[in-house]
């Protein structure tokens, strides 16, 4: 299981300095060099849209914290999540919220691709990112990885100009990191995937255990 023991500090480092995104022809100037903490007061995390599936008034709310570069998160999304969606989300019993965790720049870039076309395509792109995780995360260096992420974005119907605008939006990236920090600190997230079920934190588990927990919350 991927740990977040130093995740918040690492997230600040992601937003604060070093390498930013590359294109195939050049390396843009890093728009995030400087202290993310010092600029935090300028960031409005309320602009970050919560990515939600299911009925707004569902009796059970599940919030997942996950990283696109976390293998255990990919396993959950390719297995238990699909059953959870079929049995409980699509039937109006569960409101499901997905919140990104950023261990590294690659997970942040993947998040910016997933969010690029808005909520309507977010979960579809998330599926593509997890299905292809072993390929794009191992594509090589930063240039190769971001090129693979661009391919996923284009496969989802996002044109090149829109992709570049999303990937090069430094303020957006920094705001996402601040949003992640707020969420992780408030909910005490220490590993991915982690879940909040009707306000109670639970760890990753089998679908059968999830089903039993949900049915208990439903009173069935």
């Amino acid at each position: 299981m991927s740990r977040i023991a130093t995740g918040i500090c690492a997230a600040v480092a992601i937003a604060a300095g070093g390498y930013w995104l590359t294109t195939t022809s050049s390396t843009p100037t890093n728009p995030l060099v400087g202290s993310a903490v010092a600029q935090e007061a300028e960031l409005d995390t309320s602009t970050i849209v919560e990515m939600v599936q299911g009925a707004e008034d569902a009796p059970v709310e599940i919030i997942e914290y996950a990283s696109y570069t976390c293998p255990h998160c990919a396993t959950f999304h390719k297995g238990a999540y699909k059953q959870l969606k079929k049995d409980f989300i699509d039937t109006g019993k569960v409101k499901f919220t997905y919140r990104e965790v950023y261990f590294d720049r690659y997970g942040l870039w993947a998040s910016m691709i997933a969010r690029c076309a808005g909520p309507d395509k977010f979960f579809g792109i998330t599926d593509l990112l997890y299905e292809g995780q072993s390929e794009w995360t191992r594509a090589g260096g930063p240039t190769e990885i971001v090129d693979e992420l661009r391919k996923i974005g284009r496969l989802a119907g996002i044109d090149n100009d829109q992709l570049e605008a999303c990937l090069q939006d430094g303020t957006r990236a920094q705001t996402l990191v601040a949003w992640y920090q707020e969420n992780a600190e408030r909910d005490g997230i220490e590993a991915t995937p982690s879940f909040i079920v009707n306000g109670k934190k639970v760890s990753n588990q089998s679908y059968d255990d999830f089903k039993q927990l949900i049915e208990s919350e439903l009173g069935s």
Side-chain angles (χ1 to χ4, degrees), residues 66-87:
S67 166
Y68 287 119
T69 57
C70 158
H72 293 284
C73 301
T75 297
F76 173 79
H77 272 266
K78 290 188 282 187
Y81 162 75
K82 294 185 183 301
Q83 196 66 41
L84 178 70
K85 185 175 185 299
K86 176 183 176 182
D87 292 346

Side-chain angles (χ1 to χ4, degrees), residues 27 39 55 94 140 143 180 194 213:
T27 303
Q39 296 179 20
V94 165
T143 299
Y180 148 62
S194 286
L213 176 59

Side-chain angles (χ1 to χ4, degrees), residues 192-213:
T192 58
S194 286
F195 304 87
I196 307 295
V197 180
N198 278 354
K200 294 172 287 190
K201 186 170 69 173
V202 300
S203 60
N204 190 23
Q205 52 196 287
S206 69
Y207 174 71
D208 287 342
D209 288 339
F210 256 118
K211 182 178 180 181
Q212 184 176 358
L213 176 59

Side-chain angles (χ1 to χ4, degrees), residues 10-41:
V12 173
I14 291 167
Y19 184 96
W20 185 229
L21 292 174
T22 62
T23 66
T24 55
S25 59
S26 64
T27 303
T29 301
N30 184 351
L32 302 180
V33 172
S35 172
V37 176
Q39 296 179 20
E40 188 171 353

Side-chain angles (χ1 to χ4, degrees), residues 5 17 28-29 34 37 41 45 57 89 91 95 98 106 112 134 137 159 165 171 193 203 209 218:
T29 301
V37 176
T45 57
D57 60 351
I89 299 172
T91 58
K95 174 186 174 183
Y98 181 95
Y106 307 132
M112 295 173 80
S134 61
T137 57
D159 65 40
T171 299
S203 60
D209 288 339
L218 291 170

Side-chain angles (χ1 to χ4, degrees), residues 137-206:
T137 57
R138 300 173 186 173
T143 299
E144 291 79 14
I145 287 174
V146 78
D147 280 345
E148 290 301 310
L149 289 172
R150 288 184 177 103
K151 289 178 184 177
I152 291 173
R154 288 193 291 269
L155 183 62
I158 308 173
D159 65 40
N160 288 331
D161 289 344
Q162 187 178 357
L163 279 173
E164 292 312 304
C166 290
L167 287 169
Q168 300 296 344
D169 190 342
T171 299
R172 187 68 167 175
Q174 203 169 38
T175 304
L176 281 167
V177 171
W179 170 79
Y180 148 62
Q181 289 176 266
E182 290 177 359
N183 289 332
E185 289 174 346
R186 182 185 59 251
D187 288 338
I189 301 304
E190 298 174 344
T192 58
S194 286
F195 304 87
I196 307 295
V197 180
N198 278 354
K200 294 172 287 190
K201 186 170 69 173
V202 300
S203 60
N204 190 23
Q205 52 196 287
S206 69

